[in-house]
Amino acid sequence: MPATPRYLEPVYVRLTPGTFSGDHIFGAQVSMSGTSITVRYQAFQEVGPGYYDVELGRFPAGTYAVQVLQAALEPVNAQFTVSPAPRSTTSFPGNVPAVNYSDIWWTASESGWGLSVSQGPTNVLFAVWFVYDSSGKPVWYSLQPGQWERADVFTTYRGPIYKTSGPYFASTFNPGQLGVVPVGTGTLSFRDSNSGTFSYVVEGITGSKSITRQPIE
């Protein structure tokens, strides 16, 4: 899954226990050699969920073979093909960018705030900046939509920033209380795959933060 994965899009294999085996799958490991991927899973005889998803990874364009193995059962073979990288219709040379920046980003010396970045298979970014206002109350901003800028080989993403408010989470959700207001602009400039700068003009405040991927171990 998906049936026709796109360039560097997460790919999963869905394991469905046999109709009569009653297997409950509780773990799996993935290995790879060349373009051949092996999935070994563990199961025991018990009524469990109808399927079990295993993440294979993100892949460049090409065709990949998958073999699923479990003790005492015949191997199951499949394959999938990843489409080529998306190309821009407005800029030369057309490809954007060479890194997937999806992660939580932060400034290590300033624990307590962060920037959550999600990059889709067409390289569009959606970023959420969780910080605090002048009274110390949490506030959320989102950078969306935006575009990559060719000036520095597609490592800079710029777009409008919105401030979002809504109903109390423990109450019945009322869409009429949702507020999305444009409050400025933001720029993500990545120096490499693990570090960059977030610059912003938000609610009349101009600033810049050095950011790195937040390690979670």
Side-chain angles (χ1 to χ4, degrees):
M1 300 184 303
T4 55
R6 292 173 287 186
Y7 182 75
L8 297 184
E9 182 177 21
V11 179
Y12 306 84
V13 61
R14 173 162 289 181
L15 310 181
T16 303
T19 304
F20 303 105
S21 68
D23 281 349
H24 173 62
I25 302 172
F26 62 89
Q29 299 77 46
V30 179
S31 60
M32 187 172 185
S33 177
T35 58
S36 297
I37 302 168
T38 301
V39 178
R40 297 180 183 275
Y41 73 92
Q42 297 78 47
F44 54 80
Q45 296 291 312
E46 183 176 302
V47 176
Y51 55 83
Y52 189 87
D53 291 342
V54 180
E55 183 172 358
L56 302 182
R58 299 174 183 267
F59 301 91
T63 298
Y64 300 84
V66 180
Q67 185 174 72
V68 179
L69 302 174
Q70 202 269 335
L73 296 178
E74 289 294 320
V76 176
N77 297 293
Q79 71 174 30
F80 63 93
T81 299
V82 177
S83 60
R87 303 185 68 85
S88 169
T89 59
T90 60
S91 302
F92 177 85
N95 288 337
V96 297
V99 172
N100 188 294
Y101 297 103
S102 298
D103 214 329
I104 299 175
W105 297 74
W106 71 334
T107 298
S109 61
E110 300 179 5
S111 182
W113 69 267
L115 187 71
S116 177
V117 176
S118 180
Q119 181 175 330
T122 60
N123 293 307
V124 174
L125 294 190
F126 179 86
V128 176
W129 188 27
F130 46 98
V131 285
Y132 307 91
D133 63 18
S134 58
S135 62
K137 294 182 179 179
V139 61
W140 295 75
Y141 299 102
S142 61
L143 191 162
Q144 54 150 330
Q147 62 182 10
W148 295 97
E149 298 186 350
R150 181 179 177 271
D152 50 5
V153 199
F154 297 118
T155 56
T156 294
Y157 193 85
R158 191 186 312 275
I161 288 182
Y162 296 86
K163 185 177 183 179
T164 306
S165 60
Y168 174 48
F169 75 92
S171 64
T172 301
F173 185 80
N174 179 359
Q177 294 179 333
L178 177 65
V180 182
V181 180
V183 292
T185 58
T187 303
L188 287 163
S189 298
F190 298 100
R191 288 187 295 274
D192 52 44
S193 60
N194 291 292
S195 63
T197 301
F198 174 51
S199 303
Y200 54 87
V201 180
V202 173
E203 299 192 273
I205 305 299
T206 299
S208 181
K209 298 283 189 180
S210 294
I211 55 173
T212 60
R213 294 183 190 263
Q214 181 176 347
I216 301 176
E217 301 181 1

